[in-house]
């Protein structure tokens, strides 16, 4: 598996689940830059796997949830540094919905990434646009409008 900072381009897929001018994103921290950011859920596209199949697999692995009404929004090229390492990603962005509507009423949702647990939150598009909240990948907000 190619990890961030491995000097290879990583193919990723993410999904923007929207609810009342908010979208679901996981909180991350860059320990070198000492900043927090949010990123929609998803993960790596494996060799030979179609991006939509990868998205459905990743959401099932991370949340144990099925999704419907999946729609491709666009691709973003993301070149950045994370925890002191240079990274390069091609990120296919999708819109989708949860079958389980109860998730839209939760303030935070537990996410399991290969036995590392973290939280996803419904974050305000307005907070992202104002700069109060940082969201990655860059260009995501433009795809949502």
């Amino acid at each position: 598996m190619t990890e961030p900072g491995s000097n290879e381009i990583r193919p990723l897929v993410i999904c923007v689940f929207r609810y009342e001018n908010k979208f679901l994103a996981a909180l991350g921290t860059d320990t070198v830059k000492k900043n927090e950011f949010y990123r929609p859920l998803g993960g790596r596209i494996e060799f030979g796997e179609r991006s939509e199949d990868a998205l459905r697999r990743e959401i099932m692995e991370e949340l144990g949830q099925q999704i419907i009404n999946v729609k491709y929004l666009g691709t973003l090229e993301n070149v950045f540094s994370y925890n002191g390492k240079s990274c390069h990603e091609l990120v296919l962005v999708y819109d989708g919905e949860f079958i389980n509507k109860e998730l839209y009423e939760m303030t935070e949702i537990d996410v399991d990434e290969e036995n590392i647990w973290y939280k996803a939150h419904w974050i305000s598009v307005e907070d992202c646009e104002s700069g109060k909240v940082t969201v990655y990948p860059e260009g995501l907000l433009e795809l949502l409008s």
Side-chain angles (χ1 to χ4, degrees):
M1 174 187 260
T2 306
E3 295 300 319
S6 66
N7 295 324
E8 292 188 25
I9 299 172
R10 292 173 22 133
L12 300 178
V13 62
I14 60 175
C15 192
V16 180
F17 298 99
R18 302 185 220 202
Y19 178 66
E20 295 182 349
N21 203 33
K22 295 179 182 177
F23 63 95
L24 188 65
L27 178 62
T29 304
D30 186 314
T31 57
V32 173
K33 296 178 193 172
K34 298 188 183 343
N35 69 336
E36 290 186 339
F37 59 90
Y38 286 88
R39 181 177 184 140
L41 301 178
R44 182 168 175 76
I45 303 168
E46 300 297 336
F47 181 79
E49 186 177 39
R50 300 225 176 252
S51 61
E52 186 175 329
D53 295 336
L55 178 63
R56 291 178 186 283
R57 175 186 52 76
E58 284 288 338
I59 299 303
M60 182 56 73
E61 288 174 1
E62 293 176 355
L63 299 177
Q65 298 292 326
Q66 293 181 339
I67 59 177
I68 57 173
N69 300 326
V70 175
K71 180 180 143 191
Y72 174 74
L73 298 178
T75 299
L76 298 170
E77 187 167 13
N78 197 19
V79 179
F80 61 103
S81 69
Y82 176 69
N83 286 335
K85 295 180 181 178
S86 295
C87 304
H88 190 169
E89 302 171 337
L90 293 178
V91 185
L92 283 74
V93 182
Y94 284 85
D95 185 72
E97 298 175 26
F98 291 112
I99 290 176
N100 179 359
K101 301 303 181 198
E102 292 177 6
L103 294 171
Y104 295 104
E105 301 298 327
M106 301 172 77
T107 56
E108 61 182 29
I109 299 170
D110 290 325
V111 180
D112 178 6
E113 178 71 31
E114 297 178 3
N115 294 318
I116 298 171
W117 289 87
Y118 56 93
K119 302 284 186 187
H121 306 268
W122 294 101
I123 60 171
S124 162
V125 172
E126 290 174 1
D127 286 348
C128 296
E129 291 173 340
S130 72
K132 182 178 178 182
V133 172
T134 302
V135 64
Y136 294 122
E138 288 184 16
L140 179 65
L141 294 178
E142 289 79 7
L143 277 181
L144 298 182
S145 57

